[in-house]
Amino acid sequence: MFDFTVRARSGHWILQDAEAGELGAYETRDEALAAAGDWMRLIEQPWPVLICDEDGEWRQTLVEPTRFH
């Protein structure tokens, strides 16, 4: 299944999956988390995402699937 991480790297935020690798680079953490929400549409449920900020601090958040308009 999914094992997402959002990491700050070289001025960007990278969305990664443990199996698929890098899924995209984004300007902000919020954009990267929104992209993770797009992936959550596939499983139709909230999913935990690990976040590593610029200082190397780790935390976890629950990302909701992006809703279709």
Side-chain angles (χ1 to χ4, degrees):
M1 183 106 350
F2 298 110
D3 188 9
F4 286 133
T5 303
V6 171
R7 299 186 78 136
R9 185 171 66 195
S10 302
H12 290 89
W13 290 87
I14 308 299
L15 175 60
Q16 298 174 306
D17 176 67
E19 291 183 20
E22 289 188 15
L23 301 175
Y26 303 88
E27 292 293 319
T28 68
R29 183 191 66 179
D30 289 342
E31 289 174 352
L33 290 172
D38 291 345
W39 283 93
M40 300 311 159
R41 288 180 183 170
L42 298 173
I43 58 173
E44 299 177 335
Q45 65 182 354
W47 201 260
V49 175
L50 291 175
I51 300 170
C52 182
D53 64 22
E54 296 95 345
D55 299 326
E57 294 291 321
W58 287 91
R59 64 185 181 90
Q60 181 175 309
T61 191
L62 194 63
V63 174
E64 296 282 336
T66 303
R67 302 219 186 272
F68 289 105
H69 299 285

